[in-house]
Amino acid sequence: MARPTRQKNVVRKRSYPAARLARQQPTVPEPNRLLKVWRRVLERRLRTRLRAKVAVEIHDNTHTMLTFQRQRAMFRLRLHHMFLAAPDEVIQALADFVRMGDGEASTRLDRFIERNKAYIRRVSPEQMRKRIRLEPVGRHHDLGRIFDRLNERYFQSRISAAITYGPAPRVKGPRKSIKMGSYAADSKVIRIHPALDQPVVPRYFVEWIVFHEMLHHVYRARKGEDGRRCVHPPEFMEHERRFHDFKRAQAWEDENLDLLLRSRVEG
């Protein structure tokens, strides 16, 4: 007697061409395509508020979060990518700041940037300095030697910063003000205005300006009682008075500020 045979369930595999499989798989937008979409949305949001043509460029800078310029009937803005998904009140503040230089709008933008600083790419001071051309030796004053001596005398050589002359600014007509020094906390670089590199500018005055910027390395900017950013807290001002030629340097500035304003520096 023949035994009954058990039939097996056979699942036949179907073959699909590679092109058909590719069509069936969900497509994921490319990052660059998404960026273009978000950028166009941001341009449209600004355009409705500025009532003008707007061109936006998105960047990933670590220092300057926004810049803008007006070219005839168009506003051109360079913005950090944190602004792509900014709420309406921030976009309105951005429009007010671009159109009128509104001070309150500037404050709102500062607060937004402070709240979103986690999106700013972290770069070490050493990496940032590699991008900067350091030129501390001038024709008349060697900033490196001045910095080293002040660092040893007042700070026990604990100030780990670099120093350089800044670029010669392009100024048309007489200056109304002059920024003689600056300190960048992110790169820890002190920049001194090249107008100070003149034989008529005494060494003790250059030392005072360098000393002032070194103090910015010690005393960081903070918010005051009124909520505004304070770059010269009381302890900063008290420490500055310890400079050996403080009164003499101040007196020279009062008498010779016009000389510095009139000076023309070759680039």
Side-chain angles (χ1 to χ4, degrees):
M1 181 176 179
R3 292 184 178 182
T5 59
R6 178 179 290 180
Q7 294 183 350
K8 296 182 179 179
N9 294 328
V10 178
V11 179
R12 295 183 178 180
K13 295 182 179 180
R14 299 178 63 183
S15 61
Y16 295 88
R20 185 176 177 184
L21 286 173
R23 286 196 300 269
Q24 291 179 344
Q25 294 175 354
T27 58
V28 179
E30 296 180 0
N32 289 339
R33 185 179 177 185
L34 284 175
L35 179 61
K36 289 180 181 179
V37 172
W38 280 91
R39 178 174 56 80
R40 289 171 182 169
V41 171
L42 180 56
E43 286 178 341
R44 185 165 60 248
R45 297 173 72 191
L46 286 168
R47 189 164 57 245
T48 58
R49 290 166 172 82
L50 291 171
R51 299 184 182 277
K53 294 181 179 180
V54 176
V56 172
E57 179 184 345
I58 301 300
H59 62 69
D60 190 30
N61 289 354
T62 57
H63 185 61
T64 304
M65 298 296 102
L66 69 96
T67 58
F68 69 91
Q69 60 179 339
R70 183 164 189 173
Q71 296 180 345
R72 297 182 181 179
M74 174 180 284
F75 290 96
R76 292 189 177 275
L77 296 88
R78 296 189 73 252
L79 302 171
H80 189 272
H81 59 76
M82 69 171 67
F83 284 93
L84 286 172
D88 287 341
E89 60 268 21
V90 173
I91 299 301
Q92 185 62 54
L94 182 58
D96 293 342
F97 179 71
V98 169
R99 183 174 53 245
M100 302 178 296
D102 185 73
E104 184 178 346
S106 176
T107 301
R108 292 202 300 270
L109 293 174
D110 287 341
R111 291 172 182 169
F112 172 76
I113 294 172
E114 179 65 22
R115 290 196 303 267
N116 292 273
K117 61 183 180 181
Y119 294 104
I120 301 175
R121 179 168 44 89
R122 294 185 179 275
V123 180
S124 68
E126 292 75 19
Q127 290 175 314
M128 297 192 72
R129 287 181 202 170
K130 292 179 180 179
R131 309 172 187 174
I132 303 172
R133 184 177 179 180
L134 299 177
E135 296 181 340
V137 180
R139 296 179 180 178
H140 306 284
H141 298 292
D142 187 333
L143 297 177
R145 295 182 63 184
I146 291 174
F147 175 88
D148 289 340
R149 291 182 179 180
L150 292 174
N151 199 8
E152 181 180 1
R153 178 173 182 175
Y154 292 100
F155 305 101
Q156 293 77 48
S157 299
R158 291 181 296 188
I159 302 294
S160 57
I163 191 167
T164 182
Y165 282 105
R170 298 178 181 178
V171 180
K172 294 182 180 179
R175 289 192 188 96
K176 295 183 180 180
S177 63
I178 181 172
K179 190 174 184 179
M180 288 180 278
S182 66
Y183 173 73
D186 50 3
S187 59
K188 298 183 180 179
V189 172
I190 295 172
R191 291 178 174 86
I192 301 299
H193 198 291
L196 272 61
D197 188 31
Q198 302 182 65
V200 69
V201 181
R203 181 184 177 89
Y204 64 83
F205 182 77
V206 181
E207 290 177 342
W208 178 46
I209 300 301
V210 173
F211 181 74
H212 179 97
E213 300 307 328
M214 294 174 77
L215 288 178
H216 280 297
H217 181 90
V218 179
Y219 302 99
R220 302 301 174 88
R222 68 190 189 199
K223 289 185 179 179
E225 296 180 355
D226 57 358
R228 295 183 179 181
R229 187 167 177 263
C230 179
V231 296
H232 298 123
E235 56 270 26
F236 181 107
M237 306 301 293
E238 176 62 28
H239 197 158
E240 186 178 22
R241 295 187 184 93
R242 303 175 197 171
F243 179 70
H244 61 279
D245 268 327
F246 178 72
K247 292 184 178 180
R248 187 183 179 195
Q250 278 193 325
W252 190 91
E253 180 183 18
D254 293 339
E255 296 174 4
N256 297 275
L257 182 58
D258 289 342
L259 182 149
L260 295 176
L261 293 174
R262 293 193 307 267
S263 65
R264 289 292 177 266
V265 183
E266 297 180 1

